[in-house]
Each structure stands twice: as C-alpha cells, then as structure tokens.
Amino acid sequence: MMLCPYCKLGISLDTRKEDIQPLENGKGIEVVQGFCPMCNNFIVLIKEGSCIWIDEDCELSGNEVIKKIIFPQFHLRITNIEVPKKYRDELNEAYSIMFVSLKASAAMSRRLLQVLLREEFKIKVKSDNLSDEIIEFQNLPGPSTMLKREVDAIRKIGNFAAHPRKSQVTGEIIEVEPDEAEWSVEVLFNILEHLFILPEKANIRMQNLNQKSMN
C-alpha cells in the first residue's frame, strides 16, 4: 500500500512493472508506473532493494524496499494554515521519511497520534499506554464512527499486542507490519482534517451565509 500524492488516500497502485536492473552493491532498482485506482492520476515510482536471483531473473527482496515517487514532482504535504504548525511539520516529516525508513515513519506517526489524543482529545488513562488511549478514544462522542475505526486499525495493523513497546514507548524505532506506516500517515491526516480543516470550512460557509442574509 502507498499514499497517492494526488488524493491522499491509501492505495494499491495498479502498476505496470519494468525489468529490475541489478546494481554492483547487490541491490536492484526497478521503475514502476501506474494509475491511482481512486483518482485515476498517473504515478511513477522507483523501487530499490536487495537483488535476489531466481534462475536468471532478479527480484527485489528485503525487509524494506525503498519506494520513491519520481512523478508527479510533488509529495503529500499538509499546508493548511488552520492546522497548527507543530502538527503539520510532524506529519509531513513522517510522510517524507517513509521513503527512507518505514520503521522511523511509523514511530513518528505513533508519537504524533499519542500527542493528538492527549492534547486535542484530552484522553487520560492511568497506564500511559497508546493502546489504552486508542481504546478510550472509541468512547468519545465527537469523532465519527469511521474515524474511530481508522484510529483503532492503527493498533490492529501495527499488531500492538505482539509488539507492546509500540504502545509503551511510542517513538521507538522497531519492526513494522505490512502497510503500518502508510496507514498511520493517512489516518493522521484524517484526524487533522477532523480537528482543524473541516471546522474551518464550516465556519467560512456560515460566515458567507450570514453575510448573504444581511444583504
């Protein structure tokens, strides 16, 4: 799974693969191109990883295959000024570093999620544990059912039960599960949208409506 740089949704790119080119350092590089299945925009990736030879064909292998978007020439970034800068910077960095280290990106996302639950949703639990804070988030009246499910999925996709340090020391860089880093970044964007972007849009609509009613 990856995040589409156009529509900001987690997707499995419908790709057309090219031949893998082996490099001298035992790694291989591959150009992958395809269309986002959600917004139908064109994306080109470069993938790099360990080159494993099977018969006469090279396949990319390893715990982390680095993926870098080379087209379009922009990356997913939150620039909305209504989102506090400290949250924008943290999420943008978590996304950018994903193409270098999935483990580091997931760690930054876990840390930001815990900060948002505590500072913006006022979650307080005795255990000081992210997993318990996510469970407590499910009981809040404000967030939508969908957003609650998405946040809870971070705990499940990340397999917190098998890796308790993800909950106990959120910023620690440890092994990630498939799609964990990508999913975490997408959900964090949805949280910031819920907290800051959508309320500001609603406020602007109400201001415009009130102005029209006065004319």
Side-chain angles (χ1 to χ4, degrees), residues 80-97:
N80 307 70
I81 59 173
E82 57 267 34
V83 177
K85 184 176 183 300
K86 61 180 181 179
Y87 299 149
R88 292 201 314 265
D89 290 348
E90 193 80 2
L91 182 54
N92 287 335
E93 186 172 352
Y95 175 77
S96 297
I97 204 172

Side-chain angles (χ1 to χ4, degrees), residues 33-125:
Q33 56 183 302
F35 292 88
C36 171
M38 303 302 294
C39 65
N40 204 38
N41 279 300
F42 185 62
I43 300 170
V44 181
L45 302 174
I46 284 183
K47 298 173 66 176
E48 182 178 347
S50 299
C51 190
I52 306 298
W53 289 94
I54 300 176
D55 294 328
E56 296 183 356
D57 294 325
C58 175
E59 293 186 2
L60 296 183
S61 182
N63 292 331
E64 291 188 17
V65 175
I66 298 173
K67 295 179 289 186
K68 182 178 180 180
I69 296 175
I70 59 174
F71 183 86
Q73 290 295 317
F74 63 85
H75 296 297
L76 168 65
R77 293 188 65 82
I78 293 182
T79 57
N80 307 70
I81 59 173
E82 57 267 34
V83 177
K85 184 176 183 300
K86 61 180 181 179
Y87 299 149
R88 292 201 314 265
D89 290 348
E90 193 80 2
L91 182 54
N92 287 335
E93 186 172 352
Y95 175 77
S96 297
I97 204 172
M98 190 187 306
F99 299 100
V100 179
S101 172
L102 294 174
K103 291 184 286 188
S105 176
M108 293 188 68
S109 291
R110 289 193 302 270
R111 184 177 63 189
L112 177 56
L113 174 60
Q114 190 166 52
V115 169
L116 288 170
L117 292 179
R118 293 176 177 181
E119 295 187 1
E120 301 299 331
F121 293 102
K122 310 304 179 185
I123 297 292
K124 294 181 180 180
V125 295

Side-chain angles (χ1 to χ4, degrees), residues 68-211:
K68 182 178 180 180
I69 296 175
I70 59 174
F71 183 86
Q73 290 295 317
F74 63 85
H75 296 297
L76 168 65
R77 293 188 65 82
I78 293 182
T79 57
N80 307 70
I81 59 173
E82 57 267 34
V83 177
K85 184 176 183 300
K86 61 180 181 179
Y87 299 149
R88 292 201 314 265
D89 290 348
E90 193 80 2
L91 182 54
N92 287 335
E93 186 172 352
Y95 175 77
S96 297
I97 204 172
M98 190 187 306
F99 299 100
V100 179
S101 172
L102 294 174
K103 291 184 286 188
S105 176
M108 293 188 68
S109 291
R110 289 193 302 270
R111 184 177 63 189
L112 177 56
L113 174 60
Q114 190 166 52
V115 169
L116 288 170
L117 292 179
R118 293 176 177 181
E119 295 187 1
E120 301 299 331
F121 293 102
K122 310 304 179 185
I123 297 292
K124 294 181 180 180
V125 295
K126 295 180 180 179
S127 64
D128 195 29
N129 186 297
L130 177 57
S131 184
D132 292 338
E133 290 166 334
I134 290 175
I135 292 173
E136 185 64 25
F137 177 76
Q138 309 305 307
N139 299 321
L140 296 181
S144 67
T145 300
M146 180 59 69
L147 185 59
K148 291 179 181 180
R149 290 176 178 171
E150 290 179 344
V151 172
D152 194 46
I154 291 178
R155 181 174 61 91
K156 295 176 180 177
I157 292 174
N159 199 5
F160 283 17
H163 304 285
R165 290 192 66 80
K166 290 182 178 181
S167 294
Q168 298 164 357
V169 188
T170 55
E172 184 169 329
I173 298 177
I174 55 181
E175 292 297 327
V176 292
E177 301 295 323
D179 300 334
E180 179 181 350
E182 295 91 337
W183 178 261
S184 298
V185 167
E186 181 182 358
V187 174
L188 283 168
F189 174 81
N190 291 341
I191 292 174
L192 294 179
E193 185 177 52
H194 165 81
L195 285 169
F196 304 106
I197 300 173
L198 294 180
E200 180 61 21
K201 288 182 178 179
N203 183 49
I204 292 174
R205 286 196 298 269
M206 287 302 301
Q207 290 179 357
N208 291 338
L209 181 62
N210 291 335
Q211 192 170 31

